[in-house]
Amino acid sequence: MRVVFMGTPEFSVSVLDALVEAGHEIAAVYCQPPRPAGRGKKDRPTPVHARAEALGLTVRHPVSLKSPKEQAAFADLKADVAVVVAYGLLLPQPILDAPTHGCLNIHASLLPRWRGAAPIHRAIMAGDAQTGICIMQMEAGLDTGPVLLRQATDIGPQETTAQLHDRLAPMGADLIVEALGRLSELTPEPQPVDGVTYASKIDKAEARVDWTCPAVEVDRQIRGLSPFPGAWTEISGDRVKLLASALADGQGAPGEVLNDSLRVACGEGAIDLLRLQRAGKGAQDTETFLRGWPVAAGTRLSSE
């Protein structure tokens, strides 16, 4: 099929690769424009942009698709279908209508649960037992379109957003290739009206750990915000990101370190901190972290 691909972050790269490997003709790749990054603040292409150029594909990165000129340029591609995954721009109706078979979105949740920007983070933070991938026929509403295919997967008890992301990306790639191969026989299934939730964009203000919360909530926060923006606490006055954790037995004052291996008391129960990162340093497992900066039992981690 003649496909327009629309995606931006690393999550989308495996999908682009899968479409190319499956033999689909990529008419053009749309992604977000390069933006300043790094110490020099030089414009850096997005992961999809870089991969598309490496594959020799045409790349477009308009700041908006609202203008008649951009919509006409999109329509002139005469695509059979557009595949959209974490693109980052709203698609106006003329864009949705331009391809022969419309626009298909790869969404990382079991719709209608977790419509919106951060479905992987929110699923972990809410303590969901399962999540998955949906291939959705796009319409004007926010992730409201009918679903063509879905695949569920269990969320591991210690799984972080980064780990779940890395499992869902190839699932999405495989499922969209299947959907395109079976497009003529698939029946779009309207989403039920019950069970709708919205995965709002992650706010950095959510990242500070409140040790007075139950351990199960703190654990979900740490895993759900790993690696970005990274839940954090203060240890001896220094801000430290907490990137992995596990529920543990123990009790004490909220934020109290209970042993020499960074078991920390919460409002109810305790957690083991498994991976941490000091400012200006790389992420480290607990054993390596403590070799460079011992944290004794009885230390209080700050939630102020």
Side-chain angles (χ1 to χ4, degrees):
M1 300 185 78
R2 184 169 170 82
V3 177
V4 173
F5 182 78
M6 310 179 82
T8 293
E10 193 66 40
F11 185 85
S12 308
V13 171
S14 61
V15 179
L16 177 59
D17 284 340
L19 293 173
V20 171
E21 290 169 10
H24 295 289
E25 178 189 0
I26 308 301
V29 172
Y30 280 70
C31 59
Q32 290 285 293
R35 291 192 169 92
R39 292 185 178 180
K41 297 299 181 183
K42 295 182 179 179
D43 281 352
R44 179 182 297 173
T46 67
V48 164
H49 186 159
R51 182 59 181 153
E53 286 193 338
L55 292 169
L57 302 174
T58 299
V59 179
R60 298 179 179 178
H61 41 73
V63 296
S64 171
L65 293 170
K66 294 180 180 179
S67 73
K69 180 180 178 180
E70 286 294 346
Q71 293 170 8
F74 186 89
D76 285 345
L77 293 170
K78 301 188 184 306
D80 295 314
V81 68
V83 171
V84 185
V85 52
Y87 175 40
L89 286 182
L90 292 176
L91 304 189
Q93 197 63 46
I95 298 291
L96 296 174
D97 293 340
T100 304
H101 297 288
C103 299
L104 302 184
N105 177 244
I106 304 171
H107 189 75
S109 81
L110 298 176
L111 293 167
R113 187 160 178 79
W114 302 129
R115 295 173 178 172
I120 301 176
H121 299 77
R122 296 299 177 190
I124 291 178
M125 293 173 75
D128 289 5
Q130 279 195 329
T131 187
I133 293 289
C134 283
I135 306 299
M136 179 192 69
Q137 185 81 50
M138 295 182 71
E139 55 185 35
L142 177 63
D143 299 329
T144 58
V147 174
L148 297 175
L149 284 175
R150 65 175 65 224
Q151 183 177 346
T153 185
D154 292 341
I155 299 175
Q158 294 184 19
E159 197 159 27
T160 65
T161 285
Q163 292 165 337
L164 184 54
H165 165 283
D166 289 349
R167 288 204 299 115
L168 291 175
M171 282 177 56
D174 291 344
L175 211 59
I176 191 62
V177 169
E178 179 183 350
L180 294 182
R182 299 173 53 200
L183 202 53
S184 62
E185 65 184 72
L186 294 175
T187 301
E189 178 183 326
Q191 294 184 37
V193 295
D194 294 331
V196 174
T197 59
Y198 289 93
S200 57
K201 186 177 179 181
I202 297 296
D203 190 316
K204 288 185 178 180
E206 298 178 74
R208 181 194 288 263
V209 172
D210 180 355
W211 295 106
T212 66
C213 292
V216 66
E217 294 181 13
V218 175
D219 174 60
R220 292 170 183 171
Q221 177 190 17
I222 291 171
R223 293 186 294 110
L225 297 180
S226 176
F228 182 83
W232 63 272
T233 191
E234 289 186 354
I235 303 177
S236 302
D238 287 356
R239 183 181 292 201
V240 178
K241 279 189 178 183
L242 312 177
L243 299 174
S245 58
L247 295 173
D249 294 328
Q251 58 184 4
E256 180 185 357
V257 178
L258 300 177
N259 62 15
D260 292 331
S261 301
L262 278 178
R263 178 166 296 184
V264 184
C266 301
E268 296 176 13
I271 63 167
D272 286 330
L273 298 179
L274 304 179
R275 194 162 181 81
L276 307 93
Q277 184 176 13
R278 295 176 69 183
K281 306 287 186 179
Q284 297 175 316
D285 61 51
T286 303
E287 183 179 353
T288 304
F289 179 89
L290 291 174
R291 279 203 299 266
W293 189 21
V295 180
T299 301
R300 290 287 293 271
L301 309 189
S302 173
S303 59
E304 295 299 323

